[in-house]
Amino acid sequence: MQEASKKEAQRIAIGMIAGLALGLILYFTGLGHVVDYMKPIGDIFISLLKMVIIPLVFSSIFMAMYHLGTPESLGKMGVKAVIYYFMTTAVAVLVGIIFVNLINPGVGADLGTAGLHGLNEGMQAKVSQNSGGWFALYNAVKEVILNAVPKNPVQAMAEGQILQVIVFSILFGMVALYLPKESEPVVKVINSLEKMSLFLTHGIMKFAPVGIFVLMTGVLAKSGFSAIVSLSKYMLTVILGLGCHGILLLFIGSWKSKKSPMFILRGIGPALITAFSTASSAATLPITMANVEENLGVRKDTAKFVLPLGATINMDGTALYESVAAIFIAQAYGIHLGINQQLIIFLTASLAAIGAAAIPGAGLITMSIVLSAVGLPIEGIGLILAVDRVLDMFRTTVNVFGDSVGTLVVDSMLDDSDLKDDVEAVATT
Ligand code: ASP
């Protein structure tokens, strides 16, 4: 890791710790409202990151596609990435299901659901019949696939639909390969766009310590500590599960890439802290790309393609959280879930995570897919709402960590012959 990156990581860490400390002070002195005056700074930081996502993702994927030389090379990388991402998502859900069944955070939880016993019997019947189950699963798969294909690339970019932008960039990059002469001017422009977007990302990162400081202050100064206490067992289950999955990922990443765990953690430290404070994998993406390319030694073409894909479809933290939350809600309502229902939760939680947008609170929205698939009441979401933001910070960190480790692993599985290194020349001549 270069000296400059090290200093940058230190400044970001200081921003986070100072923000947490100030947030606590403001909360306990009853001055939480002061945060309202600081909030615009945090908002500007997030907007700046979002501003650079689309030009960066479009140009990076286009250039990666162009560099790869053939659709087959992209295919090799893409298949490896998708298989790895799906497998780790499935493992994450499994870890969540194991932890929630071991800890049983919802059993006997006093969340105002005790008076609903008559109602609960009706719900239990609905759950036992598996109402909605497999059909809901089919619908979820269909939605994910349909949502990936853009009707209008400009609209996809304007709306920040990253998966659609990825699909368009791949197709456009592929066309450039087939029409090398005609595409030459466009390739040059997009190559410049990529360089400029990266440069801009570095500029925005200089502002990160201040942005993160403000965002962290806001989280603690305005947090509802009472909700945290009554939902502490549930939160603990999610956080323990996330920690366990994170360690597993670190082990896999270190083993496959032959790099030390400390090297990996240090290298992507700034991205992890940004993920924690923004609760958005998409907003963090520019920083994740810079960290993985520059600090982890991943080959550029792998990082450019595999990371944006991961940020959109790979959300281990969200997947784990969805399974814990759904089973917690069932427990809180006193509803028993059999193996069949837990299997449906396993599948739908994986899909809900794949389909969730990389923005704050997206996992909470796609929870409805999981709940309705097993016939649990959607209102159950209300039980966990109060602490969702805090858990979002933890799960987004694991999401970003999963994407980064995934890129490292996929890169280590590719031969040099799969990637062309002399391409800079092609694009810039
Ligand atoms: N905030 C998460 C992310 O951006 C998604 C979620 O809500 O789980 O990765």
Side-chain angles (χ1 to χ4, degrees), residues 281-361:
S281 321
T284 312
L285 182 59
I287 298 187
T288 322
M289 287 180 82
N291 282 176
V292 169
E293 275 185 31
E294 290 154 22
N295 303 343
L296 294 192
V298 167
R299 282 168 289 192
K300 283 193 169 21
D301 285 336
T302 319
K304 279 185 218 167
F305 177 68
V306 179
L307 256 182
L309 185 71
T312 343
I313 65 162
N314 180 50
M315 295 198 186
D316 292 2
T318 303
L320 189 148
Y321 146 86
E322 304 252 357
S323 62
V324 174
I327 298 174
F328 168 77
I329 289 170
Q331 290 175 348
Y333 278 105
I335 295 168
H336 172 74
L337 296 174
I339 291 286
N340 211 346
Q341 286 92 24
Q342 302 225 12
L343 179 67
I344 294 179
I345 290 188
F346 171 79
L347 295 170
T348 45
S350 307
L351 279 168
I354 295 169
I359 55 172

Side-chain angles (χ1 to χ4, degrees), residues 104-114 230-231 328 331-333:
N104 286 320
V107 176
D110 179 19
L111 301 168
T113 48
S230 68
L231 287 166
F328 168 77
Q331 290 175 348
Y333 278 105

Side-chain angles (χ1 to χ4, degrees), residues 41-338:
I41 301 176
D43 292 344
I44 290 173
F45 173 56
I46 294 184
S47 298
L48 286 172
L49 285 173
K50 285 186 180 164
M51 175 186 80
V52 81
I53 297 171
I54 298 297
L56 183 63
V57 168
F58 169 63
S59 58
S60 296
I61 294 201
F62 177 92
M63 288 314 293
M65 184 64 229
Y66 185 75
H67 283 177
L68 284 170
T70 57
E72 289 77 42
S73 308
L74 172 86
K76 266 191 202 159
M77 188 189 281
V79 167
K80 285 193 172 102
V82 169
I83 292 177
Y84 173 86
Y85 283 151
F86 282 4
M87 275 168 52
T88 48
T89 300
V91 171
V93 183
L94 206 61
V95 171
I97 292 181
I98 293 173
F99 270 85
V100 72
N101 278 297
L102 282 179
I103 301 177
N104 286 320
V107 176
D110 179 19
L111 301 168
T113 48
L116 296 172
H117 274 313
L119 245 173
N120 291 0
E121 276 162 31
M123 284 182 204
Q124 179 69 64
K126 218 171 142 199
V127 168
S128 305
Q129 285 159 12
N130 260 337
S131 53
W134 299 109
F135 185 64
L137 194 64
Y138 162 77
N139 269 335
V141 176
K142 193 180 73 182
E143 278 301 303
V144 168
I145 296 174
L146 282 181
N147 280 341
V149 186
K151 284 191 200 79
N152 176 342
V154 178
Q155 190 184 4
M157 289 182 188
E159 289 175 355
Q161 299 282 354
I162 303 182
L163 194 54
Q164 296 190 0
V165 174
I166 292 177
V167 171
F168 175 71
S169 316
I170 291 175
L171 293 176
F172 216 52
M174 222 183 263
V175 173
L177 284 174
Y178 284 112
L179 301 175
K181 211 165 166 304
E182 290 83 346
S183 64
E184 216 181 290
V186 174
V187 172
K188 275 191 179 161
V189 170
I190 299 180
N191 187 45
S192 308
L193 182 68
E194 189 199 359
K195 300 258 149 60
M196 291 165 70
S197 306
L198 259 178
F199 192 83
L200 191 57
T201 303
H202 280 289
I204 297 167
M205 276 168 80
K206 296 218 173 351
F207 181 52
V210 180
I212 286 170
F213 166 71
V214 172
L215 290 171
M216 296 311 297
T217 308
V219 171
L220 281 188
K222 294 217 150 177
S223 63
F225 275 99
S226 55
I228 291 183
V229 172
S230 68
L231 287 166
S232 57
K233 219 169 157 194
Y234 158 68
M235 290 179 74
L236 197 75
T237 312
V238 176
I239 294 171
L240 273 180
L242 289 174
C244 177
H245 187 69
I247 292 171
L248 191 71
L249 288 177
L250 187 60
F251 172 74
I252 297 173
S254 169
W255 166 54
K256 289 304 264 178
S257 68
K258 302 189 177 58
K259 292 186 166 110
S260 82
M262 248 352 251
F263 174 87
I264 298 175
L265 283 175
R266 270 224 199 98
I268 49 170
L272 296 184
I273 295 177
T274 310
F276 189 69
S277 54
T278 59
S280 167
S281 321
T284 312
L285 182 59
I287 298 187
T288 322
M289 287 180 82
N291 282 176
V292 169
E293 275 185 31
E294 290 154 22
N295 303 343
L296 294 192
V298 167
R299 282 168 289 192
K300 283 193 169 21
D301 285 336
T302 319
K304 279 185 218 167
F305 177 68
V306 179
L307 256 182
L309 185 71
T312 343
I313 65 162
N314 180 50
M315 295 198 186
D316 292 2
T318 303
L320 189 148
Y321 146 86
E322 304 252 357
S323 62
V324 174
I327 298 174
F328 168 77
I329 289 170
Q331 290 175 348
Y333 278 105
I335 295 168
H336 172 74
L337 296 174

